[in-house]
Amino acid sequence: MVEKKSNLENWKINALKELKKKNLDGLIIETPEGISIKPLYTALDIENINHLDSLPGEEPFLRGPKATMYTGRPWTIRQYAGFSTALESNQFYKKNLASGQKGLSVAFDLATHRGYDSDHERVRGDVGKAGVAIDSVEDMKILFDGIPLDQMSVSMTMNGAVLPVLAGYIVAGEEQGVSIEKLSGTIQNDILKEFMVRNTYIYPPEPSMRIVSDIIGFTSKKMPKFNSISISGYHMQEAGASLVQELAFTIADGLEYIRAASKRGLLVDDFAPRLSFFFAIGMNFFMEAAKLRAARYLWSIWTKKLFNCQNIKSQMLRTHCQTSGASLQEQDPYNNIIRTTVEALAATLGGAQSLHTNSFDEAIGLPTPFSAKIARNTQLILQNETGITDTIDPLAGSYYVESITKEMIEKANELIEKIEEMGGMTVAVIKGYPKAEIEKSATKRQARVDSGEQIIVGVNKFQSESQDKIEVLDIDNNAVREEQINKLTNIKNTRNNKLVQQALDNIKDAAKNNSGNLLDLSIIAMRERATVGELSYALEQVYGRYGVKQEIVKNIYKETYLKKEDFIKVEDALSKFKDIAGVNPKIFMAKIGQDGHDRGAKVIASAFIDFGFDVEIGTLFQTPSEAVDMAISYGVHIIGISSLAAGHKTLIPELINELKKRGADDILVVCGGVIPAQDYNFLYDAGVAAIFGPGTAIPDAASTTINKASEQLMRMHNYRKSRTNN
């Protein structure tokens, strides 16, 4: 020990000489997780770590849930795909499977997530734009046509309309000749995280948890190869959560699902081995690998502590990972290939059991076949060319990795304990605690990026003079919707409507009386050709459709932003606006369509308040008409539209036309988010005053918006003046 300390002191002396400094404090990096990263780790840092002697396949499973891990079988290669129609998605799947993909990860469109059929008025701009449109069993049958469901593991991301979607998949398997017990894969169905970040919920928290419990109960008894739920930290990180928040809230979600299922009379060891987890893997390479190791440890410890599991498999955390959507950038898009590779490597060194790699164009639109091939080959190269699969947990024993694994365990534990003290995650979600914490973290991150503290190559440093043009997948929303409506009409004309209504009534009764199993009853309804929208509405009549008041965090962005001089141009613009208008600029932040990703809108709203704007924020899932109603009632100067899910070409022009109809076209319209550059002229022609793509620094967006609003006010003033004079 003395010798080790002495050696460390010698290193410090040498380091100070090299740097010509009095201390080494400047080399310590503070992470958003509150972990201090030292420039050097030694044997001293791991002397008091109690998990170092653990082995893979043994409690607490930190080194992996399987004894042999990749040496026995490499991780499963997945490709997340789904767009437009079931037929197009099916053709895409078949090509990928023929090229080395091993499992399907299905993305459904937002209308489907939210439990609307494609003919519903609220989803005119959403159908087929961000995933595959599914209205019935007939769509499911087309989606999986020629794909043997007794051989193919299918992962599905679905939360709101989880009952009809899962039931539709089961019935599609039946009608393919595959019995229910042979189906394998997972359905995400992590509704708690929806209330925190992604917002593709339908019903309130308590009935939503009842739905999850029924699915766990059904699948654990009748579908031995199918995971009952995939508990998702991925969307938390995507929404701006720190790694510790993602880790802690995901584990806390899992504990809550065990608690909810137990309350329905299920035995923990009958279903807990079937729970799986889904994490994002971002660019902080070593911390991401440490996060997966910490997650397995925490799950093992907490399940034993709270539920006294007797089956050791109940303590094993199974991990699916996806390279981060938040790290993908529109600028210099080919850089995303490198980002995806680094993240995939971190996931595999952390012990992911299945992995989806993002395509480089997913910051702009849905993946093209070309980009999907590169993403898939990234994993094939890692599996077959790097030697990663030759040994188990190669990072074990690293002074640095073991040290930060321990720190992440400790910090995540603190958060989990806080949530448990509240009464569990359902209570915490209703109180809004995790959502508020993630939004604070997201706002801080954006401030660090905008001020250059956090470097993103090609965005805020090392920018290219010109941008590479890349192919962007463009979906004809109107054509897809028309095709879906035609299929819906045909289904309703050829089915036995009496049997459909009886099946839907049975579902309503079970929901009212807290009786039966809702998935079991949903399967019966889907066999009779009930639609996704009809089944969802049957439950909505009992449970209601959930909505939350949008809250805005304050005094976070400005406090975190380092380059305070950037605020001067915003203040100058504000001063000029006030000289014209006599008041601060007032903006209405709108989310229109069924896209529930609200990080961008929330961060902008928070920053703009800190700059001096008066900010109103709309409810989620508004129609253009509803957004205009609210904007006019608030008396705003500007409407800011946050777009992510490709509905901008349909919904934004509709909103501008609504303003014209109401004589409110003096309200300036600006928009931002994931909008491909080739769509900019279309939106400008439609009347959009400014577009702020991904990577735009918020102070720049603020000053531009204010100046545009000032110009608009002057134009209106001069117009009214000339009209009066005439």
Side-chain angles (χ1 to χ4, degrees), residues 411-577:
K411 290 191 176 297
N413 251 326
E414 290 174 13
L415 283 178
I416 296 168
E417 284 170 356
K418 185 169 184 175
I419 288 162
E420 286 298 310
E421 286 168 9
M422 287 182 184
M425 198 46 126
T426 304
V427 176
V429 160
I430 292 168
K431 288 182 177 179
Y433 168 70
K435 187 176 182 69
E437 291 303 298
I438 290 171
E439 286 175 1
K440 288 175 188 174
S441 175
T443 306
K444 286 178 179 178
R445 181 187 184 276
Q446 193 62 50
R448 289 194 301 273
V449 170
D450 287 349
S451 59
E453 180 187 357
Q454 183 172 331
I455 293 170
I456 299 177
V457 174
V459 177
N460 63 3
K461 203 167 183 179
F462 312 113
Q463 296 99 328
S464 297
E465 290 182 9
S466 61
Q467 292 294 320
D468 295 314
K469 287 186 178 179
I470 63 171
E471 179 191 359
V472 177
L473 196 67
D474 190 24
I475 304 295
D476 186 341
N477 163 246
N478 291 323
V480 175
R481 188 163 182 260
E482 187 177 338
E483 183 179 334
Q484 290 299 115
I485 290 172
N486 288 338
K487 285 194 286 183
L488 278 166
T489 303
N490 185 57
I491 287 165
K492 290 176 181 179
N493 288 338
T494 55
R495 70 190 183 180
N496 187 324
N497 286 306
K498 189 176 178 181
L499 291 177
V500 171
Q501 192 55 57
Q502 184 58 60
L504 295 173
D505 287 344
N506 291 342
I507 290 169
K508 280 194 281 190
D509 290 343
K512 281 179 191 171
N513 303 322
N514 198 26
S515 61
N517 184 287
L518 292 175
L519 177 55
D520 205 355
L521 294 166
S522 297
I523 291 168
I524 295 168
M526 298 307 281
R527 283 181 187 137
E528 299 298 340
R529 284 352 191 221
T531 68
V532 168
E534 289 170 334
L535 202 154
S536 300
Y537 184 64
L539 288 169
E540 187 182 336
Q541 288 175 288
V542 180
Y543 295 143
R545 187 170 277 268
Y546 188 67
V548 292
K549 188 177 184 301
Q550 296 283 71
E551 304 288 344
I552 306 172
V553 300
K554 300 173 185 176
N555 303 319
I556 298 288
Y557 187 91
K558 201 166 184 177
E559 286 179 6
T560 309
Y561 198 93
L562 289 181
K563 294 162 66 178
K564 304 299 180 186
E565 62 272 15
D566 288 351
F567 284 30
I568 295 170
K569 61 183 180 182
V570 181
E571 289 165 358
D572 287 346
L574 271 169
S575 177
K576 289 174 185 173
F577 184 93

Side-chain angles (χ1 to χ4, degrees), residues 67-251:
T68 56
M69 291 301 291
Y70 304 151
T71 60
R73 191 178 80 177
W75 66 89
T76 301
I77 298 172
R78 293 192 181 275
Q79 196 92 33
Y80 192 47
F83 53 88
S84 184
T85 63
L87 180 61
E88 286 190 70
S89 297
N90 174 263
Q91 291 168 348
F92 188 65
Y93 296 160
K94 286 175 178 173
K95 287 177 185 174
N96 289 348
L97 292 168
S99 302
Q101 185 180 314
K102 299 300 183 187
L104 290 182
S105 293
V106 185
F108 298 101
D109 80 351
L110 292 165
T112 304
H113 269 285
R114 294 272 293 146
Y116 294 114
D117 286 334
S118 298
D119 58 359
H120 200 287
E121 278 298 299
R122 299 196 73 84
V123 299
R124 280 179 296 171
D126 298 294
V127 177
K129 294 294 281 185
V132 58
I134 297 291
D135 292 320
S136 72
V137 169
E138 295 301 326
D139 287 326
M140 278 291 188
K141 288 173 72 174
I142 295 167
L143 186 67
F144 296 115
D145 179 57
I147 297 171
L149 293 179
D150 55 344
Q151 300 171 38
M152 183 58 58
S153 173
V154 178
S155 171
M156 294 176 281
T157 300
M158 176 50 60
N159 292 280
V162 62
L163 285 170
V165 164
L166 182 52
Y169 161 73
I170 291 167
V171 175
E174 285 178 350
E175 298 187 8
Q176 198 185 85
V178 179
S179 57
I180 193 167
E181 71 273 6
K182 292 179 181 176
L183 295 172
S184 65
T186 187
I187 193 149
Q188 194 176 92
N189 193 29
D190 178 1
I191 196 66
L192 286 170
K193 69 98 179 34
E194 296 296 321
F195 297 113
M196 296 184 222
V197 288
R198 192 163 170 258
N199 302 307
T200 56
Y201 45 71
I202 301 176
Y203 317 110
E206 290 93 338
S208 295
M209 291 297 286
R210 187 262 165 107
I211 290 169
V212 174
S213 298
D214 279 8
I215 290 170
I216 291 172
F218 183 95
T219 53
S220 62
K221 290 173 185 171
K222 298 185 180 183
M223 301 173 75
K225 297 168 73 177
F226 197 87
N227 291 317
S228 310
I229 186 173
S230 177
I231 302 154
S232 172
Y234 176 87
H235 298 95
M236 299 178 201
Q237 187 181 124
E238 193 178 49
S242 72
L243 300 194
V244 165
Q245 287 174 338
E246 180 194 2
L247 173 58
F249 294 159
T250 306
I251 297 296

